[in-house]
Amino acid sequence: MNGLYTIILLILSNVFMTFAWYGHLRLQQSGISNNWPLIGVIAFSWGIAFFEYCCQVPANRLGFSANGGPFNIVQLKVIQEGISIAVFCVITNILFQGTHIHWNHILAFLLIICAVYLVFMK
C-alpha cells in the first residue's frame, strides 16, 4: 500500500510543482501578473511549492525501502522524473493550449519510461 500512496503523493507533488514553476507564466500571459515585481512572482511560486513539499516529503518517506517502503532511492527518483514529465505534458497542454507535443517529445517521454523500467530490473 505504501507504494500506491507514494505514487499518488508524487503525482500531487508534481501537479503543485508544475504550477509553481510554470503557472506564473500563464498568469503573465493572461495579464494578471504583468505588473507584479519579480519578488511577488517568486513569493507566489514559493507559496505553491510549499504544498509540493507537503506531498513530496511524505511520498519519499513512505516509499523509501529503509522506512519500510517498496522503493530504493534511485527508483524513487526515476519514478518521480517519469511522473514529472507526464504531469508537465498534461498541465501545459491545458494551460498553454498553443503548445504542441511533437514526435521528439513523445520519444523523449518513451525513453524516460524505459529508464523507469530499467531501474526496476534485477
Side-chain angles (χ1 to χ4, degrees):
M1 216 48 188
N2 282 354
L4 179 62
Y5 292 143
T6 298
I7 300 297
I8 291 168
L9 285 168
L10 286 175
I11 291 169
L12 287 172
S13 165
N14 278 282
V15 167
F16 285 119
M17 202 66 218
T18 301
F19 280 116
W21 283 16
Y22 304 105
H24 64 89
L25 298 175
R26 181 66 182 122
L27 290 177
Q28 184 181 23
Q29 277 186 337
S30 64
I32 294 172
S33 66
N34 281 347
N35 297 322
W36 290 9
L38 183 57
I39 192 70
V41 176
I42 292 168
F44 172 79
S45 292
W46 276 2
I48 297 171
F50 169 78
F51 296 102
E52 185 267 340
Y53 278 91
C54 287
C55 296
Q56 180 269 333
V57 170
N60 285 334
R61 285 196 169 242
L62 283 171
F64 187 44
S65 58
N67 293 334
F71 308 118
N72 66 42
I73 197 156
V74 174
Q75 291 169 332
L76 278 170
K77 180 60 181 168
V78 175
I79 291 167
Q80 187 279 327
E81 292 299 331
I83 291 171
S84 177
I85 294 294
V87 167
F88 174 80
C89 288
V90 170
I91 289 176
T92 56
N93 278 309
I94 293 169
L95 290 182
F96 300 94
Q97 293 182 351
T99 304
H100 301 288
I101 295 179
H102 300 285
W103 70 267
N104 56 323
H105 303 140
I106 294 168
L107 179 59
F109 185 58
L110 290 173
L111 290 172
I112 290 171
I113 292 172
C114 289
V116 172
Y117 172 77
L118 288 173
V119 83
F120 281 94
M121 288 182 63
K122 299 285 181 203

